[in-house]
Amino acid sequence: EPEVTQTPSHQVTQMGQEVILRCVPISNHLYFYWYRQILGQKVEFLVSFYNNEISEKSEIFDDQFSVERPDGSNFTLKIRSTKLEDSAMYFCASSPTSRVSNQPQHFGDGTRLSIL
Amino acid sequence: GDSVTQMEGPVTLSEEACLTINCTYTATGYPSLFWYVQYPGEGLQLLLKATKADDKGSNKGFEATYRKETTSFHLEKGSVQVSDSAVYFCALRRSGGSNYKLTFGKGTLLTVNP
């Protein structure tokens, strides 16, 4: 069964450094998402992406964050200048369409980001 | 805004015990409802879903019924196994418009002992 893959599985970065988290969504999917889960807290929506542009973003997704689909297969999340509070598990997800609300989103295994 | 409230964990059961994890939601319209499961060290996997009132989602012995009148989607299993130990997340996705994000509950850690 096709799956969403994320790399790296664990990223350790110094505060203030830029970090790029990578995701390869399922190949025929059209909608892409990033979520994060701070340790012990709920999974929170960050951003959704369709047709090479952001379709929705949360208040968490400020100017420090950006997303890109550089080559038609990868989907990346960049954090420009990391802060301690960015430490979390980041999940990428994709769905075949989003026009039907019952389409499930398929999640990757996540990247654990640790900011020192 | 949309919200999902889940039963606080952790929940510890013996093998073959009955499981109920409560989930209630607040949303406008008729959202779709989901249960996701996160096994240790892994990502989120869809366990089951229901898209309209009175629908019952089921998978791997788990069931949940979409109750519009009580805005609930409780997860149940008649006989749990050690392999069911995981974190369970209730989630909703609003219908219509461009709001396709999932809104999650806080998750409930289930531990099943042999």
Side-chain angles (χ1 to χ4, degrees):
Chain A
E1 184 178 331
E3 56 184 31
V4 176
T5 56
Q6 290 186 242
T7 55
S9 56
H10 190 190
Q11 174 80 45
V12 182
T13 303
Q14 292 288 331
M15 186 172 60
Q17 296 296 306
E18 175 183 285
V19 66
I20 297 176
L21 309 182
R22 301 180 192 281
C23 170
V24 179
I26 295 172
S27 63
N28 63 345
H29 285 189
L30 301 177
Y31 275 80
F32 315 111
Y33 310 84
W34 284 101
Y35 293 81
R36 79 172 185 191
Q37 183 184 26
I38 295 172
L39 188 64
Q41 299 187 24
K42 67 169 66 176
V43 177
E44 301 172 292
F45 168 77
L46 291 178
V47 65
S48 59
F49 190 86
Y50 170 71
N51 200 26
N52 285 318
E53 61 183 27
I54 290 172
S55 50
E56 187 180 5
K57 61 182 181 179
S58 71
E59 60 276 8
I60 302 168
F61 194 87
D62 61 21
D63 293 343
Q64 297 280 54
F65 292 88
S66 61
V67 289
E68 192 177 35
R69 188 157 162 80
D71 58 12
S73 62
N74 289 284
F75 178 52
T76 62
L77 174 69
K78 182 193 289 187
I79 309 175
R80 232 175 304 281
S81 176
T82 50
K83 303 185 284 287
L84 292 175
E85 53 265 38
D86 293 328
S87 295
M89 181 73 90
Y90 288 80
F91 291 106
C92 174
S94 68
S95 64
T97 72
S98 194
R99 294 296 176 187
V100 180
S101 66
N102 63 6
Q103 289 286 346
Q105 295 177 16
H106 299 259
F107 284 77
D109 284 347
T111 293
R112 178 163 298 285
L113 176 63
S114 300
I115 307 301
L116 304 179
Chain B
D2 299 341
S3 67
V4 175
T5 302
Q6 265 182 258
M7 175 175 137
E8 292 283 333
V11 174
T12 302
L13 296 173
S14 298
E15 207 164 24
E16 299 183 4
C18 292
L19 168 72
T20 299
I21 300 177
N22 290 336
C23 171
T24 57
Y25 68 89
T26 302
T28 55
Y30 298 90
S32 292
L33 301 174
F34 304 86
W35 277 99
Y36 279 83
V37 59
Q38 185 179 30
Y39 297 104
E42 298 185 16
L44 297 164
Q45 299 176 25
L46 178 67
L47 180 60
L48 53 84
K49 68 177 185 181
T51 59
K52 60 184 187 296
D54 301 325
D55 263 4
K56 178 186 283 189
S58 61
N59 186 26
K60 299 181 181 180
F62 290 90
E63 293 183 340
T65 301
Y66 189 144
R67 301 285 187 202
K68 181 75 176 165
E69 63 277 13
T70 54
T71 61
S72 65
F73 193 55
H74 305 322
L75 182 68
E76 298 176 324
K77 187 172 186 180
S79 176
V80 295
Q81 306 300 312
V82 172
S83 57
D84 293 327
S85 298
V87 181
Y88 292 82
F89 292 92
C90 185
L92 71 81
R93 192 176 189 192
R94 198 192 295 184
S95 59
S98 61
N99 294 315
Y100 305 113
K101 65 180 183 183
L102 286 168
T103 299
F104 286 89
K106 287 187 176 180
T108 302
L109 173 62
L110 170 66
T111 302
V112 180
N113 295 318

